[in-house]
């Protein structure tokens, strides 16, 4: 069940070009959050009335902490980047449905693929999946080298492939370009911009266990306003997602 309360900020720092890591301290959030869910944040500036949906990147139940990552793209996230240790932020969450890992077995081959800020919610997923199987492949695409984050920590969870659009790091191209067409996977999890999710859905259109985390603008965050419906008008990203089995949705 979602909570709405002011949460203390432990840390807020830039970790890549315009990418910030914010650490929140809350026992309630840490105990109830799941990989793939998101938080709805209310800014200090009262003129900015809409909350900002930010995916949960990491959960630390032992130390009662939640980590979120966000990219500075507008006035709202620019304001968030000025918050410091000891400040608080009003949080509604955790919201939405997370990644389904119930079918993963010890011998399962898992692919985790993401792009840009969409890589953020895949961190907690990769951490959990790596405890279930040793066969994890991660493929992450970024625009350029300075955009890459969490490179060292992802290496703990399996084989990681990086691509950049300009070729400044890893393979040049998009994340999908780096995959071997002949390799198959039992489970596929993905999160990225809309065009990337469409490409992944098309590439693996016959796969039964392809889970997509969608990025979408939201208003209420709880499904009441229908402002974040999927293209087929059958699902609300905030309430029915943000994670869907690709078989269920039209992008």
């Amino acid at each position: 069940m979602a909570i709405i309360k002011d949460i203390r900020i432990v840390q807020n720092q830039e970790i890549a070009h315009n990418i910030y890591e914010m650490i929140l301290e809350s026992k309630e959030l840490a105990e109830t959050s799941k990989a793939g869910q998101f938080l709805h944040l209310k800014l200090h500036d009262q003129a900015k009335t809409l909350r900002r949906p930010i995916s949960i990147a990491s959960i630390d139940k032992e130390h009662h902490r939640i980590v979120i990552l966000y990219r500075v793209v507008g006035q709202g996230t620019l304001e968030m980047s000025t918050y410091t240790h000891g400040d608080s932020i009003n949080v509604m969450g955790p919201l939405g449905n997370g990644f389904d890992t119930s079918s993963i077995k010890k011998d399962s081959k898992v692919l985790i693929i993401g792009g840009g800020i969409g890589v953020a919610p895949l961190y907690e997923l990769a951490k959990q999946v790596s405890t279930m199987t040793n066969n994890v492949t991660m493929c992450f695409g970024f625009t350029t080298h300075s955009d890459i984050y969490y490179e060292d920590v992802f290496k703990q969870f399996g084989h990681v492939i990086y691509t950049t659009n300009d070729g400044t790091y890893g393979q040049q191209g998009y994340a999908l370009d780096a995959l071997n067409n002949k390799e198959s996977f039992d489970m596929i999890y993905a999160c990225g911009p809309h065009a990337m999710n469409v490409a992944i859905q098309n590439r693996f259109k016959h796969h039964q266990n392809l889970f997509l985390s969608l990025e979408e603008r939201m208003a209420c965050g709880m499904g009441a306003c229908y402002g974040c419906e999927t293209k087929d008008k059958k699902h609300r990203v905030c309430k029915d997602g943000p994670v869907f089995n690709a078989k269920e949705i039209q992008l």
Side-chain angles (χ1 to χ4, degrees):
M1 186 174 182
I3 65 168
I4 304 177
K5 65 186 303 183
D6 290 339
I7 302 296
R8 178 175 173 269
I9 298 172
V10 176
Q11 182 175 292
N12 188 34
Q13 64 177 355
E14 188 175 20
I15 60 171
H17 179 61
N18 282 340
I19 302 292
Y20 282 75
E21 176 189 70
M22 181 182 290
I23 302 176
L24 304 172
E25 187 173 62
S26 168
K27 183 178 181 180
E28 289 177 275
L29 278 181
E31 289 181 345
T32 57
S33 296
K34 299 178 181 179
Q37 290 186 300
F38 68 95
L39 305 180
H40 223 27
L41 308 180
K42 185 177 182 180
L43 303 179
H44 295 174
D45 184 353
Q46 297 301 308
K48 300 181 177 73
T49 56
L50 290 180
R51 291 177 179 266
R52 267 56 178 182
I54 306 292
S55 297
I56 294 171
S58 182
I59 303 164
D60 184 348
K61 294 184 178 181
E62 181 181 356
H63 298 97
H64 307 154
R65 293 182 175 184
I66 292 286
V67 177
I68 59 174
L69 302 184
Y70 61 95
R71 175 190 286 127
V72 174
V73 293
Q75 291 302 309
T77 46
L78 179 62
E79 178 190 324
M80 285 174 57
S81 70
T82 67
Y83 300 167
T84 62
H85 167 77
D87 288 344
S88 63
I89 186 168
N90 189 267
V91 175
M92 178 191 297
L95 298 173
N97 297 304
F99 293 104
D100 182 359
T101 60
S102 60
S103 298
I104 296 178
K105 303 175 182 178
K106 289 184 178 180
D107 59 349
S108 295
K109 293 182 65 176
V110 178
L111 171 65
I112 297 175
I113 181 169
I117 197 62
V119 173
L122 301 176
Y123 173 73
E124 181 64 30
L125 173 69
K127 182 170 63 174
Q128 294 182 14
V129 169
S130 68
T131 67
M132 303 174 186
T133 175
N134 292 324
N135 201 333
V136 182
T137 298
M138 292 160 279
C139 191
F140 301 137
F142 293 89
T143 302
T144 190
H145 190 187
S146 61
D147 292 339
I148 296 175
Y149 53 88
Y150 279 11
E151 181 180 4
D152 291 337
V153 292
F154 273 114
K155 291 178 180 178
Q156 306 172 59
F157 309 134
H159 176 57
V160 190
I161 303 169
Y162 283 97
T163 67
T164 49
N165 295 1
D166 60 6
T168 51
Y169 190 81
Q171 301 182 38
Q172 184 169 10
Y174 300 107
L176 272 176
D177 298 334
L179 293 177
N180 184 340
N181 290 329
K182 297 180 180 180
E183 190 171 8
S184 62
F185 299 92
D186 299 302
M187 308 290 294
I188 303 174
Y189 300 95
C191 183
H194 179 75
M196 179 180 186
N197 282 338
V198 170
I200 292 171
Q201 187 182 44
N202 290 336
R203 172 81 168 265
F204 301 103
K205 58 185 176 182
H206 299 301
H207 204 288
Q208 297 301 302
N209 293 302
L210 167 60
F211 295 92
L212 299 174
S213 178
L214 307 187
E215 297 179 347
E216 187 57 75
R217 291 183 178 273
M218 299 178 185
C220 72
M222 302 179 69
C225 69
Y226 287 82
C228 60
E229 284 185 308
T230 53
K231 186 177 180 180
D232 53 24
K233 303 297 183 181
K234 296 180 179 179
H235 306 282
R236 292 158 291 179
V237 173
C238 66
K239 184 176 179 63
D240 304 316
V243 180
F244 297 91
N245 189 309
K247 298 180 299 181
E248 302 172 353
I249 55 170
Q250 179 183 355
L251 297 179

